[in-house]
Coordinates of all heavy atoms in Angstrom, one line a residue:
M1 N 78.2 -18.4 40.4 CA 76.9 -17.6 40.2 C 77.2 -16.1 40.5 O 76.5 -15.3 39.9 CB 76.0 -18.2 41.2 CG 74.5 -17.8 40.9 SD 74.0 -18.2 39.3 CE 72.4 -17.5 39.3
K2 N 78.0 -15.7 41.5 CA 78.2 -14.5 41.9 C 78.8 -13.6 40.8 O 78.4 -12.4 40.4 CB 79.3 -14.3 43.0 CG 79.4 -13.0 43.6 CD 80.4 -13.1 44.8 CE 80.7 -11.7 45.3 NZ 81.7 -11.8 46.4
G3 N 79.7 -14.2 39.9 CA 80.2 -13.4 38.8 C 79.3 -13.3 37.7 O 79.4 -12.1 37.0
A4 N 78.4 -14.2 37.5 CA 77.5 -14.1 36.5 C 76.4 -13.0 36.8 O 76.1 -12.2 35.8 CB 76.7 -15.4 36.3
K5 N 76.2 -12.8 38.0 CA 75.2 -11.7 38.4 C 75.9 -10.4 38.2 O 75.3 -9.4 37.6 CB 74.9 -11.8 39.9 CG 73.9 -10.8 40.5 CD 73.5 -11.1 41.8 CE 74.5 -10.4 42.7 NZ 74.0 -10.4 44.2
N6 N 77.1 -10.2 38.5 CA 77.9 -9.0 38.3 C 78.0 -8.8 36.8 O 77.9 -7.5 36.3 CB 79.3 -9.0 38.8 CG 79.2 -8.8 40.4 OD1 78.4 -8.0 40.9 ND2 80.1 -9.6 41.2
V7 N 78.1 -9.7 36.0 CA 78.3 -9.5 34.5 C 77.0 -9.0 34.0 O 77.0 -8.1 33.1 CB 78.8 -10.9 33.8 CG1 78.6 -10.7 32.3 CG2 80.2 -11.1 34.2
V8 N 75.9 -9.6 34.4 CA 74.7 -9.2 33.9 C 74.3 -7.8 34.3 O 73.8 -7.0 33.5 CB 73.5 -10.1 34.5 CG1 72.1 -9.6 34.2 CG2 73.6 -11.4 33.9
Y9 N 74.6 -7.4 35.5 CA 74.3 -6.0 36.0 C 75.2 -5.0 35.3 O 74.8 -3.9 35.0 CB 74.4 -5.9 37.5 CG 73.3 -6.6 38.2 CD1 73.4 -7.2 39.5 CD2 72.0 -6.8 37.7 CE1 72.5 -7.8 40.2 CE2 71.1 -7.4 38.3 CZ 71.2 -7.9 39.7 OH 70.2 -8.5 40.3
L10 N 76.4 -5.4 35.0 CA 77.3 -4.5 34.4 C 76.9 -4.4 32.9 O 77.0 -3.2 32.5 CB 78.7 -5.2 34.3 CG 79.8 -4.4 33.7 CD1 80.2 -3.1 34.3 CD2 81.1 -5.2 33.6
G11 N 76.4 -5.3 32.3 CA 75.9 -5.2 30.9 C 74.7 -4.4 30.9 O 74.5 -3.5 30.0
L12 N 73.8 -4.5 31.9 CA 72.6 -3.8 31.8 C 72.9 -2.2 32.2 O 72.3 -1.3 31.5 CB 71.6 -4.2 33.0 CG 70.9 -5.5 32.7 CD1 70.2 -6.0 33.9 CD2 69.9 -5.4 31.6
T13 N 73.9 -2.1 33.1 CA 74.2 -0.6 33.2 C 74.9 -0.1 32.0 O 74.7 1.2 31.9 CB 75.3 -0.6 34.6 OG1 74.6 -1.3 35.7 CG2 75.5 0.9 34.9
L14 N 75.9 -0.7 31.5 CA 76.4 -0.2 30.3 C 75.4 0.0 29.1 O 75.5 1.0 28.4 CB 77.6 -1.1 29.7 CG 78.8 -1.2 30.6 CD1 79.7 -2.2 30.1 CD2 79.5 0.2 30.7
G15 N 74.4 -0.9 29.0 CA 73.3 -0.6 28.1 C 72.5 0.6 28.4 O 72.2 1.4 27.6
M16 N 72.2 0.8 29.6 CA 71.5 1.9 30.1 C 72.3 3.1 29.7 O 71.7 4.2 29.3 CB 71.2 1.9 31.5 CG 70.5 3.0 32.1 SD 70.1 2.7 33.9 CE 71.7 2.7 34.6
L17 N 73.6 3.3 30.0 CA 74.5 4.4 29.6 C 74.5 4.6 28.2 O 74.3 5.8 27.8 CB 75.8 4.1 30.2 CG 76.1 4.5 31.6 CD1 77.5 4.0 32.0 CD2 75.9 6.0 31.8
A18 N 74.6 3.5 27.4 CA 74.7 3.7 25.8 C 73.5 4.3 25.4 O 73.4 5.0 24.3 CB 75.0 2.4 25.2
F19 N 72.2 3.9 26.0 CA 71.0 4.4 25.6 C 70.7 5.9 25.9 O 70.2 6.6 25.4 CB 69.8 3.5 26.2 CG 68.5 3.8 25.8 CD1 68.1 3.6 24.5 CD2 67.7 4.5 26.6 CE1 66.7 4.0 24.1 CE2 66.4 4.9 26.3 CZ 66.0 4.6 25.1
A20 N 71.1 6.1 27.2 CA 70.6 7.4 27.9 C 71.6 8.6 27.6 O 71.1 9.7 27.5 CB 70.4 7.3 29.3
V21 N 72.9 8.3 27.5 CA 73.9 9.4 27.4 C 73.5 10.2 26.2 O 73.6 11.6 26.3 CB 75.4 9.0 27.6 CG1 76.3 10.0 27.0 CG2 75.6 8.5 28.9
P22 N 73.3 9.7 25.0 CA 73.0 10.6 23.8 C 71.7 11.4 24.0 O 71.6 12.5 23.4 CB 72.9 9.6 22.7 CG 73.6 8.4 23.1 CD 73.4 8.3 24.6
R23 N 70.8 11.0 24.8 CA 69.6 11.6 25.0 C 69.6 12.7 26.1 O 68.7 13.4 26.2 CB 68.4 10.6 25.3 CG 68.1 9.8 24.0 CD 67.3 8.6 24.5 NE 67.0 7.8 23.3 CZ 67.7 7.0 22.6 NH1 68.9 6.9 22.9 NH2 67.2 6.4 21.5
L24 N 70.5 12.7 27.0 CA 70.7 13.7 28.0 C 71.3 15.0 27.4 O 72.0 15.0 26.5 CB 71.7 13.2 29.1 CG 71.3 12.0 29.9 CD1 72.4 11.7 30.9 CD2 70.1 12.6 30.9
D25 N 70.4 16.1 27.9 CA 70.8 17.4 27.4 C 71.9 18.0 28.3 O 71.6 18.6 29.4 CB 69.6 18.1 27.4 CG 69.7 19.5 26.8 OD1 70.6 19.7 25.8 OD2 69.0 20.5 27.0
I26 N 73.2 17.9 27.8 CA 74.3 18.5 28.7 C 75.0 19.5 27.8 O 75.7 19.2 26.9 CB 75.2 17.4 29.1 CG1 74.6 16.3 29.9 CG2 76.5 17.9 29.9 CD1 75.3 15.1 30.3
D27 N 74.6 20.7 28.2 CA 75.2 21.9 27.5 C 76.2 22.7 28.5 O 76.3 22.2 29.7 CB 74.1 22.8 26.9 CG 73.2 22.2 25.9 OD1 73.7 21.3 25.2 OD2 72.1 22.6 25.8
A28 N 76.7 23.7 28.1 CA 77.4 24.5 29.0 C 76.5 25.3 29.9 O 75.4 25.6 29.6 CB 78.4 25.6 28.2
G29 N 77.0 25.4 31.1 CA 76.2 26.1 32.2 C 75.7 25.3 33.2 O 75.9 24.0 33.3
W30 N 75.2 25.9 34.3 CA 74.8 25.2 35.5 C 73.2 25.2 35.6 O 72.7 25.5 36.7 CB 75.3 25.9 36.7 CG 76.8 25.7 36.9 CD1 77.8 26.4 36.4 CD2 77.3 24.5 37.4 NE1 79.0 25.9 36.7 CE2 78.8 24.7 37.4 CE3 76.9 23.3 38.0 CZ2 79.7 23.7 37.8 CZ3 77.7 22.4 38.5 CH2 79.2 22.6 38.4
T31 N 72.5 24.8 34.6 CA 71.0 24.5 34.6 C 70.7 23.3 35.4 O 71.5 22.4 35.5 CB 70.3 24.6 33.3 OG1 70.9 23.4 32.6 CG2 70.8 25.8 32.6
A32 N 69.5 23.1 35.8 CA 69.1 21.9 36.6 C 69.2 20.7 35.6 O 69.6 19.6 36.2 CB 67.6 22.1 37.1
T33 N 68.9 20.9 34.5 CA 68.9 19.7 33.5 C 70.5 19.3 33.3 O 70.7 18.0 33.3 CB 68.5 20.1 32.0 OG1 67.2 20.7 32.3 CG2 68.5 19.0 31.2
N34 N 71.4 20.1 33.2 CA 72.8 19.9 33.1 C 73.3 19.2 34.3 O 74.0 18.2 34.3 CB 73.6 21.0 32.7 CG 73.3 21.6 31.4 OD1 72.7 21.0 30.5 ND2 73.7 23.0 31.3
V35 N 72.8 19.7 35.5 CA 73.4 19.1 36.7 C 72.8 17.6 37.0 O 73.5 16.7 37.3 CB 73.0 20.1 38.0 CG1 73.4 19.4 39.3 CG2 73.8 21.3 37.8
F36 N 71.6 17.5 36.7 CA 71.0 16.2 36.8 C 71.7 15.2 35.7 O 72.0 14.1 36.2 CB 69.5 16.2 36.3 CG 68.9 14.8 36.2 CD1 68.6 14.1 37.4 CD2 68.7 14.3 35.0 CE1 68.0 12.8 37.3 CE2 68.1 13.0 34.9 CZ 67.8 12.2 36.0
G37 N 71.9 15.7 34.5 CA 72.6 14.7 33.5 C 74.0 14.4 34.1 O 74.3 13.2 34.0
A38 N 74.8 15.3 34.5 CA 76.1 15.0 35.0 C 76.1 14.0 36.2 O 76.9 13.1 36.3 CB 76.8 16.3 35.3
A39 N 75.1 14.3 37.2 CA 75.0 13.5 38.3 C 74.6 12.0 38.0 O 75.0 11.1 38.6 CB 74.0 14.1 39.3
W40 N 73.7 12.0 37.0 CA 73.2 10.7 36.6 C 74.2 9.8 36.0 O 74.5 8.7 36.3 CB 72.0 10.8 35.5 CG 71.3 9.6 35.3 CD1 70.2 9.0 35.9 CD2 71.6 8.6 34.3 NE1 69.9 8.0 35.4 CE2 70.7 7.6 34.3 CE3 72.6 8.6 33.1 CZ2 70.8 6.5 33.4 CZ3 72.6 7.5 32.4 CH2 71.6 6.5 32.4
I41 N 75.1 10.5 35.0 CA 76.2 9.8 34.4 C 77.3 9.4 35.6 O 77.8 8.4 35.5 CB 76.8 10.7 33.4 CG1 75.9 10.8 32.2 CG2 78.2 10.1 33.0 CD1 76.3 11.9 31.2
G42 N 77.4 10.3 36.5 CA 78.4 10.0 37.6 C 78.0 8.8 38.4 O 78.8 7.9 38.7
F43 N 76.7 8.7 38.7 CA 76.2 7.5 39.5 C 76.3 6.3 38.8 O 76.6 5.2 39.3 CB 74.8 7.8 40.1 CG 74.8 8.8 41.3 CD1 73.9 9.9 41.2 CD2 75.6 8.5 42.4 CE1 74.0 10.8 42.2 CE2 75.6 9.4 43.3 CZ 74.7 10.5 43.4
A44 N 75.8 6.4 37.5 CA 76.0 5.1 36.6 C 77.4 4.7 36.5 O 77.7 3.5 36.4 CB 75.3 5.5 35.3
S45 N 78.3 5.7 36.4 CA 79.7 5.3 36.3 C 80.2 4.6 37.6 O 81.1 3.7 37.6 CB 80.6 6.5 36.1 OG 80.2 7.1 34.8
L46 N 79.7 5.1 38.7 CA 80.1 4.4 40.0 C 79.5 2.9 40.0 O 80.3 2.0 40.5 CB 79.4 5.1 41.2 CG 80.2 6.5 41.6 CD1 79.4 7.1 42.7 CD2 81.6 6.1 42.1
V47 N 78.4 2.7 39.5 CA 77.9 1.4 39.4 C 78.7 0.5 38.6 O 79.0 -0.7 38.9 CB 76.4 1.4 39.0 CG1 75.9 -0.1 38.6 CG2 75.4 2.0 39.9
V48 N 79.2 1.0 37.4 CA 80.0 0.3 36.5 C 81.3 0.0 37.2 O 81.8 -1.2 37.2 CB 80.2 1.0 35.1 CG1 81.4 0.4 34.4 CG2 78.9 1.1 34.3
A49 N 81.9 0.9 37.9 CA 83.1 0.7 38.6 C 83.1 -0.3 39.7 O 83.9 -1.1 39.9 CB 83.6 2.0 39.2
A50 N 81.9 -0.3 40.4 CA 81.8 -1.3 41.5 C 81.7 -2.6 40.9 O 82.2 -3.6 41.5 CB 80.5 -0.9 42.3
H51 N 80.9 -3.0 39.9 CA 80.8 -4.2 39.2 C 82.2 -4.7 38.7 O 82.6 -5.9 38.8 CB 79.8 -4.3 38.3 CG 78.4 -4.3 38.8 ND1 77.9 -5.3 39.6 CD2 77.4 -3.4 38.7 CE1 76.7 -5.0 40.0 NE2 76.4 -3.8 39.5
L52 N 83.0 -3.7 38.1 CA 84.2 -4.1 37.6 C 85.2 -4.5 38.7 O 86.1 -5.4 38.6 CB 84.8 -2.9 36.7 CG 84.2 -2.8 35.3 CD1 84.8 -1.6 34.7 CD2 84.6 -4.0 34.5
H53 N 85.1 -3.6 39.8 CA 85.9 -3.9 41.0 C 85.7 -5.4 41.5 O 86.6 -6.2 41.9 CB 85.6 -3.0 42.1 CG 86.4 -3.1 43.3 ND1 85.9 -3.8 44.3 CD2 87.6 -2.5 43.6 CE1 86.9 -3.7 45.3 NE2 87.9 -2.9 44.9
E54 N 84.4 -5.8 41.5 CA 84.1 -7.1 42.0 C 84.5 -8.2 41.1 O 84.9 -9.3 41.5 CB 82.6 -7.1 42.3 CG 82.2 -8.4 43.1 CD 82.5 -8.4 44.5 OE1 82.8 -7.4 45.0 OE2 82.8 -9.5 45.0
L55 N 84.4 -8.0 39.8 CA 84.6 -9.0 38.7 C 86.1 -9.2 38.6 O 86.7 -10.4 38.5 CB 84.2 -8.6 37.4 CG 82.7 -8.8 37.2 CD1 82.2 -8.1 35.8 CD2 82.3 -10.3 37.2
L56 N 87.0 -8.1 38.9 CA 88.4 -8.3 38.7 C 89.0 -8.9 40.0 O 90.2 -9.1 39.9 CB 88.9 -6.9 38.4 CG 88.6 -6.4 37.0 CD1 89.2 -4.9 36.8 CD2 89.0 -7.2 35.9
G57 N 88.3 -8.9 41.1 CA 88.8 -9.4 42.4 C 89.8 -8.6 43.0 O 90.7 -9.2 43.5
V58 N 89.6 -7.3 43.0 CA 90.6 -6.3 43.6 C 90.8 -6.7 45.0 O 92.0 -6.7 45.5 CB 90.2 -5.0 43.3 CG1 91.1 -4.0 44.0 CG2 90.2 -4.7 41.8
E59 N 89.8 -7.2 45.8 CA 89.9 -7.1 47.2 C 90.3 -8.7 47.7 O 90.3 -9.0 48.8 CB 88.6 -6.9 47.8 CG 88.3 -5.4 47.9 CD 87.0 -5.1 48.7 OE1 86.3 -6.0 49.2 OE2 86.8 -3.9 48.9
E60 N 90.4 -9.6 46.6 CA 90.8 -11.0 47.0 C 92.1 -11.0 47.8 O 92.1 -11.8 48.9 CB 91.0 -11.8 45.7 CG 89.7 -11.9 44.9 CD 88.8 -12.8 45.5 OE1 89.1 -13.8 46.2 OE2 87.6 -12.7 45.4
E61 N 93.2 -10.3 47.4 CA 94.4 -10.3 48.2 C 94.2 -9.6 49.5 O 94.8 -10.1 50.5 CB 95.5 -9.6 47.4 CG 96.9 -9.8 47.9 CD 97.3 -11.1 48.0 OE1 97.0 -11.9 47.2 OE2 98.1 -11.5 49.0
T62 N 93.4 -8.6 49.6 CA 93.2 -8.1 50.9 C 92.4 -8.9 51.9 O 92.8 -8.9 53.0 CB 92.4 -6.7 50.7 OG1 93.1 -5.9 49.7 CG2 92.3 -5.9 51.9
K63 N 91.6 -9.7 51.3 CA 90.9 -10.7 52.1 C 91.7 -11.8 52.7 O 91.7 -12.3 53.7 CB 89.6 -11.2 51.5 CG 88.5 -10.3 51.3 CD 87.5 -10.9 50.5 CE 86.4 -9.9 50.2 NZ 85.3 -10.5 49.3
R64 N 92.7 -12.1 51.9 CA 93.7 -13.2 52.2 C 94.8 -12.8 53.2 O 95.3 -13.7 53.9 CB 94.4 -13.8 50.9 CG 93.5 -14.6 50.0 CD 94.2 -15.2 48.9 NE 93.2 -15.3 47.8 CZ 93.6 -15.1 46.5 NH1 94.8 -14.8 46.3 NH2 92.7 -15.2 45.6
E65 N 95.0 -11.6 53.3 CA 96.1 -11.1 54.1 C 96.0 -11.4 55.5 O 96.9 -11.8 56.2 CB 96.3 -9.5 53.9 CG 97.5 -9.0 54.4 CD 98.9 -9.5 53.8 OE1 98.7 -9.8 52.5 OE2 99.9 -9.7 54.4
P66 N 94.8 -11.2 56.1 CA 94.7 -11.5 57.5 C 94.9 -13.0 57.8 O 95.3 -13.5 58.8 CB 93.2 -11.1 57.9 CG 92.9 -10.1 56.9 CD 93.6 -10.5 55.6
L67 N 94.5 -13.9 56.9 CA 94.8 -15.3 57.0 C 96.2 -15.6 57.1 O 96.7 -16.4 57.9 CB 94.0 -16.1 56.0 CG 92.5 -16.0 55.9 CD1 91.9 -16.7 54.7 CD2 91.8 -16.7 57.2
K68 N 96.9 -15.0 56.2 CA 98.4 -15.1 56.2 C 98.9 -14.8 57.5 O 99.8 -15.5 58.0 CB 99.1 -14.4 55.0 CG 98.7 -14.9 53.7 CD 99.4 -14.1 52.6 CE 99.1 -14.5 51.2 NZ 99.7 -13.6 50.2
V69 N 98.6 -13.6 58.1 CA 99.1 -13.1 59.3 C 98.7 -14.1 60.5 O 99.7 -14.4 61.3 CB 98.6 -11.7 59.7 CG1 99.0 -11.3 61.0 CG2 99.0 -10.8 58.7
K70 N 97.5 -14.6 60.5 CA 97.1 -15.6 61.5 C 98.0 -16.9 61.5 O 98.5 -17.4 62.5 CB 95.7 -16.0 61.4 CG 94.7 -14.9 61.9 CD 93.2 -15.4 61.7 CE 92.3 -14.4 62.2 NZ 91.0 -14.8 62.1
R71 N 98.2 -17.3 60.3 CA 99.0 -18.5 60.0 C 100.4 -18.3 60.5 O 101.0 -19.2 61.2 CB 99.0 -19.0 58.6 CG 97.8 -19.7 58.2 CD 98.0 -20.3 56.8 NE 96.8 -20.3 56.1 CZ 96.5 -19.7 55.0 NH1 97.6 -19.2 54.3 NH2 95.4 -19.6 54.4
M72 N 101.0 -17.1 60.2 CA 102.3 -16.9 60.7 C 102.4 -16.7 62.2 O 103.4 -17.2 62.9 CB 102.9 -15.5 60.0 CG 104.3 -15.2 60.4 SD 105.4 -16.4 60.0 CE 105.9 -15.9 58.5
K73 N 101.5 -16.1 62.8 CA 101.5 -16.0 64.4 C 101.4 -17.4 64.9 O 102.0 -17.7 65.9 CB 100.4 -15.1 64.8 CG 100.7 -13.7 64.5 CD 99.5 -12.7 65.2 CE 99.8 -11.3 64.9 NZ 98.8 -10.5 65.6
R74 N 100.5 -18.2 64.3 CA 100.3 -19.6 64.8 C 101.5 -20.4 64.7 O 102.2 -21.1 65.7 CB 99.2 -20.3 64.1 CG 98.9 -21.7 64.8 CD 97.7 -22.4 64.0 NE 96.5 -21.4 63.9 CZ 95.9 -21.3 62.7 NH1 96.2 -22.1 61.6 NH2 94.8 -20.5 62.7
W75 N 102.3 -20.4 63.5 CA 103.6 -20.9 63.4 C 104.7 -20.4 64.3 O 105.4 -21.3 64.8 CB 104.1 -20.7 61.9 CG 105.4 -21.3 61.6 CD1 105.6 -22.8 61.3 CD2 106.6 -20.7 61.6 NE1 106.8 -22.9 61.1 CE2 107.6 -21.7 61.3 CE3 107.1 -19.5 61.8 CZ2 109.0 -21.4 61.2 CZ3 108.4 -19.1 61.8 CH2 109.4 -20.1 61.5
Q76 N 104.6 -19.2 64.6 CA 105.7 -18.6 65.5 C 105.4 -19.0 66.9 O 106.3 -19.3 67.7 CB 105.5 -17.1 65.5 CG 106.2 -16.5 64.3 CD 106.0 -14.9 64.2 OE1 105.2 -14.4 64.8 NE2 106.9 -14.2 63.3
L77 N 104.2 -19.2 67.3 CA 103.9 -19.7 68.6 C 104.2 -21.2 68.8 O 104.8 -21.6 69.9 CB 102.3 -19.6 68.9 CG 101.8 -20.1 70.2 CD1 102.4 -19.3 71.3 CD2 100.3 -20.0 70.2
E78 N 104.0 -22.0 67.7 CA 104.4 -23.3 67.8 C 106.0 -23.5 67.9 O 106.4 -24.3 68.7 CB 104.0 -24.1 66.5 CG 102.4 -24.3 66.5 CD 102.0 -24.9 65.1 OE1 102.8 -25.2 64.3 OE2 100.7 -25.0 65.0
Q79 N 106.7 -22.7 67.1 CA 108.1 -22.7 67.2 C 108.6 -22.3 68.6 O 109.5 -22.9 69.2 CB 108.7 -21.8 66.2 CG 108.5 -22.2 64.7 CD 109.0 -23.4 64.5 OE1 110.2 -23.7 64.8 NE2 108.2 -24.3 63.8
A80 N 107.9 -21.3 69.2 CA 108.3 -20.9 70.6 C 108.1 -22.0 71.6 O 108.9 -22.3 72.5 CB 107.6 -19.7 71.0
L81 N 106.9 -22.6 71.4 CA 106.6 -23.8 72.3 C 107.5 -24.9 72.2 O 107.8 -25.7 73.2 CB 105.1 -24.2 72.1 CG 104.0 -23.2 72.5 CD1 102.6 -23.7 72.2 CD2 104.1 -23.0 74.1
Q82 N 107.8 -25.3 71.0 CA 108.8 -26.4 70.7 C 110.2 -26.0 71.2 O 110.8 -26.9 71.7 CB 108.9 -26.5 69.2 CG 107.7 -27.3 68.6 CD 107.8 -27.5 67.1 OE1 108.8 -27.1 66.5 NE2 106.8 -28.1 66.4
G83 N 110.6 -24.8 71.2 CA 111.8 -24.3 71.8 C 111.8 -24.6 73.3 O 112.8 -24.9 74.0
R84 N 110.7 -24.2 73.9 CA 110.7 -24.3 75.3 C 110.7 -25.8 75.8 O 111.3 -26.1 76.8 CB 109.4 -23.8 76.0 CG 109.3 -22.3 76.2 CD 108.1 -21.8 76.9 NE 108.3 -20.3 77.2 CZ 107.4 -19.6 77.5 NH1 106.2 -20.1 77.6 NH2 107.5 -18.3 77.8
R85 N 110.1 -26.6 75.0 CA 110.1 -28.2 75.3 C 111.5 -28.6 75.3 O 112.0 -29.4 76.1 CB 109.2 -28.9 74.3 CG 107.8 -28.8 74.7 CD 107.0 -29.8 73.7 NE 105.7 -29.3 73.5 CZ 105.0 -29.4 72.4 NH1 105.5 -30.0 71.3 NH2 103.8 -28.8 72.3
K86 N 112.2 -28.2 74.2 CA 113.7 -28.6 74.2 C 114.4 -28.1 75.3 O 115.3 -28.9 75.8 CB 114.2 -28.1 72.7 CG 113.7 -28.8 71.6 CD 114.2 -28.3 70.4 CE 113.7 -29.0 69.0 NZ 114.2 -28.5 67.9
L87 N 114.2 -27.0 75.7 CA 114.9 -26.4 76.8 C 114.7 -27.2 78.1 O 115.5 -27.4 79.0 CB 114.7 -24.9 77.0 CG 115.3 -24.0 76.1 CD1 114.8 -22.5 76.3 CD2 116.9 -24.0 76.3
L88 N 113.4 -27.5 78.3 CA 113.0 -28.2 79.5 C 113.5 -29.6 79.4 O 114.0 -30.2 80.6 CB 111.4 -28.3 79.6 CG 110.7 -26.9 80.0 CD1 109.2 -27.1 79.8 CD2 111.2 -26.4 81.4
Q89 N 113.6 -30.3 78.3 CA 114.2 -31.5 78.2 C 115.7 -31.5 78.5 O 116.2 -32.5 79.1 CB 113.9 -32.2 76.9 CG 112.5 -32.5 76.6 CD 112.2 -33.0 75.2 OE1 113.0 -32.8 74.4 NE2 110.9 -33.4 74.9
L90 N 116.4 -30.5 78.1 CA 117.8 -30.4 78.3 C 118.1 -30.2 79.9 O 119.2 -30.7 80.3 CB 118.5 -29.2 77.5 CG 118.5 -29.5 76.0 CD1 118.9 -28.2 75.2 CD2 119.4 -30.6 75.6
K91 N 117.2 -29.5 80.5 CA 117.4 -29.2 81.9 C 117.3 -30.4 82.8 O 117.8 -30.5 83.9 CB 116.5 -28.0 82.4 CG 116.9 -26.7 81.9 CD 116.0 -25.7 82.6 CE 116.3 -24.4 82.0 NZ 115.5 -23.2 82.5
K92 N 116.5 -31.3 82.4 CA 116.3 -32.6 83.2 C 117.4 -33.5 83.2 O 118.4 -33.8 83.1 CB 115.0 -33.4 82.5 CG 113.8 -32.6 82.9 CD 112.6 -33.5 82.4 CE 111.3 -32.9 82.5 NZ 110.2 -33.6 82.1

Protein backbone atom coordinates (compact mmCIF):
# COMPACT_ATOMS: atom_id res chain seq x y z
CA MET A 1 0.00 0.00 0.00
CA LYS A 2 2.91 2.32 0.76
CA GLY A 3 4.23 2.05 -2.78
CA ALA A 4 0.82 2.74 -4.29
CA LYS A 5 0.54 5.96 -2.31
CA ASN A 6 3.93 7.11 -3.57
CA VAL A 7 3.00 6.26 -7.17
CA VAL A 8 -0.24 8.26 -6.90
CA TYR A 9 1.48 11.29 -5.37
CA LEU A 10 4.31 11.08 -7.89
CA GLY A 11 1.79 11.01 -10.74
CA LEU A 12 -0.11 13.95 -9.29
CA THR A 13 3.07 15.97 -8.87
CA LEU A 14 4.25 15.20 -12.40
CA GLY A 15 0.81 16.12 -13.73
CA MET A 16 0.89 19.36 -11.79
CA LEU A 17 4.34 20.14 -13.23
CA ALA A 18 3.22 19.30 -16.77
CA PHE A 19 0.19 21.56 -16.38
CA ALA A 20 1.87 24.51 -14.64
CA VAL A 21 5.37 24.80 -16.14
CA PRO A 22 4.18 26.03 -19.56
CA ARG A 23 2.01 28.63 -17.83
CA LEU A 24 4.73 30.00 -15.55
CA ASP A 25 6.26 33.21 -16.80
CA ILE A 26 10.01 32.62 -16.55
CA ASP A 27 12.01 35.17 -18.51
CA ALA A 28 15.48 36.58 -18.04
CA GLY A 29 15.93 38.76 -14.98
CA TRP A 30 15.29 38.72 -11.27
CA THR A 31 11.67 39.80 -11.07
CA ALA A 32 9.35 38.46 -8.37
CA THR A 33 7.45 36.42 -10.96
CA ASN A 34 10.60 34.73 -12.23
CA VAL A 35 11.87 33.97 -8.74
CA PHE A 36 8.51 32.52 -7.73
CA GLY A 37 8.36 30.34 -10.85
CA ALA A 38 11.88 29.02 -10.34
CA ALA A 39 11.24 28.34 -6.63
CA TRP A 40 7.95 26.59 -7.40
CA ILE A 41 9.59 24.33 -9.98
CA GLY A 42 12.42 23.62 -7.54
CA PHE A 43 10.08 22.60 -4.73
CA ALA A 44 7.96 20.46 -7.05
CA SER A 45 11.15 18.78 -8.27
CA LEU A 46 12.10 18.02 -4.66
CA VAL A 47 8.71 16.35 -4.15
CA VAL A 48 9.25 14.23 -7.27
CA ALA A 49 12.75 13.29 -6.10
CA ALA A 50 11.48 12.31 -2.65
CA HIS A 51 8.83 9.99 -4.07
CA LEU A 52 11.30 8.42 -6.51
CA HIS A 53 13.75 7.94 -3.64
CA GLU A 54 11.11 6.07 -1.66
CA LEU A 55 9.88 4.01 -4.62
CA LEU A 56 13.35 2.93 -5.66
CA GLY A 57 14.14 1.84 -2.11
CA VAL A 58 17.42 3.67 -1.84
CA GLU A 59 17.48 3.48 1.97
CA GLU A 60 16.61 -0.22 2.14
CA GLU A 61 20.26 -1.30 2.33
CA THR A 62 21.06 1.46 4.81
CA LYS A 63 18.27 0.24 7.09
CA ARG A 64 19.53 -3.36 6.87
CA GLU A 65 23.13 -2.49 7.69
CA PRO A 66 22.67 -2.05 11.49
CA LEU A 67 20.92 -5.43 11.64
CA LYS A 68 23.90 -7.07 9.94
CA VAL A 69 26.27 -5.45 12.43
CA LYS A 70 24.15 -6.63 15.39
CA ARG A 71 24.07 -10.18 14.04
CA MET A 72 27.82 -10.18 13.55
CA LYS A 73 28.46 -8.90 17.10
CA ARG A 74 26.11 -11.51 18.53
CA TRP A 75 27.87 -14.25 16.56
CA GLN A 76 31.28 -13.05 17.75
CA LEU A 77 30.08 -13.05 21.36
CA GLU A 78 28.74 -16.58 20.98
CA GLN A 79 32.05 -17.72 19.50
CA ALA A 80 33.97 -16.12 22.36
CA LEU A 81 31.72 -17.76 24.96
CA GLN A 82 32.06 -21.16 23.31
CA GLY A 83 35.84 -20.74 23.28
CA ARG A 84 35.84 -20.01 27.01
CA ARG A 85 33.72 -23.07 27.70
CA LYS A 86 36.16 -25.24 25.83
CA LEU A 87 39.09 -23.75 27.78
CA LEU A 88 37.32 -24.33 31.10
CA GLN A 89 36.54 -27.93 30.15
CA LEU A 90 40.18 -28.56 29.19
CA LYS A 91 41.44 -27.18 32.54
CA LYS A 92 39.25 -29.55 34.55
